Structures are given as C-alpha cells and as structure tokens.
Amino acid sequence: MPFEIIPNSGERAFLKVGDKTLALFNVATQFYAIDDSCPHQGASLFSGRLEGRVIQCCAHGLRFDLTNGCLVNSSQLRVATYPVEMVEDKVFIVMGCGENHE
Ligand code: FES
C-alpha cells in the first residue's frame, strides 16, 4: 500500500500498519523501513539517534544497522526490516505475512 507521509532526506516517519508500528527513514534519498519495536526490550526506535544508516535505541543505546536490521557488530539481535520500493512518487513498504524480508 502506498503511504501518504514520505519523509524528506534526513527525516523519518512513524507509520501504523494494521497491528504493526513501523519507522520509515530516508537516508540520502534511500528509504529503510523497520519495526518500531527494539528487539532488546521493545522501546520505540523511531525517536532513536540516527548516525548514517545506524539507529541507536534511546532506551539502552543498542545500535542497529538499518540496511539489515542487525545489531552493530553482532548478529544476536535483529529488528525486522521491510523492503521499500519507489514507484513514481509513491513509497511502498513490502510486507509479507509478518515475516522479515530482505
Ligand atoms: S530497548 Fe532498545 S536497547 Fe534496550
């Protein structure tokens, strides 16, 4: 489904899709969509600190790579990521049956 709120480069948007909450980031005109729930203890990642393509959770400071959802320097924790496609000027987040897609 296309989204009305498209963040400008360097910005982010908070989305509610069904029972999920997602954070959509625009980093240098590239879009990344992740679950808004930190895989550590569930804090919101939307308001985290973004450095390049790494988002830092506000709660305990864990950092996740937006490109693959993995905890930086570890594969122990991973936040769900969703492919984002641009069709004309619309942004589509590709969501399967609640599974993680790369
Ligand atoms: S809840 Fe995100 S680092 Fe702990």
Side-chain angles (χ1 to χ4, degrees):
M1 94 177 76
F3 292 94
E4 301 292 325
I5 306 163
I6 300 177
N8 293 320
S9 187
E11 297 183 350
R12 58 189 81 176
F14 180 79
L15 307 167
K16 195 149 173 39
V17 184
D19 59 351
K20 281 186 180 296
T21 49
L22 307 183
L24 176 65
F25 295 87
N26 181 340
V27 182
T29 70
Q30 182 75 45
F31 290 98
Y32 301 95
I34 62 170
D35 264 344
D36 185 44
S37 175
C38 179
H40 179 226
Q41 286 186 4
S44 169
L45 290 171
F46 171 75
S47 51
R49 203 174 102 169
L50 189 64
E51 264 182 48
R53 289 172 170 77
V54 171
I55 186 79
Q56 182 171 30
C57 180
C58 306
H60 311 100
L62 294 185
R63 298 161 73 230
F64 299 91
D65 187 333
L66 291 180
T67 63
N68 56 17
C70 288
L71 184 63
V72 171
N73 296 328
S74 168
S75 54
Q76 287 189 337
L77 278 180
R78 188 167 176 205
V79 63
T81 59
Y82 303 92
V84 181
E85 294 178 4
M86 281 291 284
V87 179
E88 294 171 354
D89 60 347
K90 293 190 167 58
V91 172
F92 292 82
I93 298 175
V94 183
M95 299 180 71
C97 309
E99 296 300 315
N100 198 8
H101 293 271
E102 286 191 84

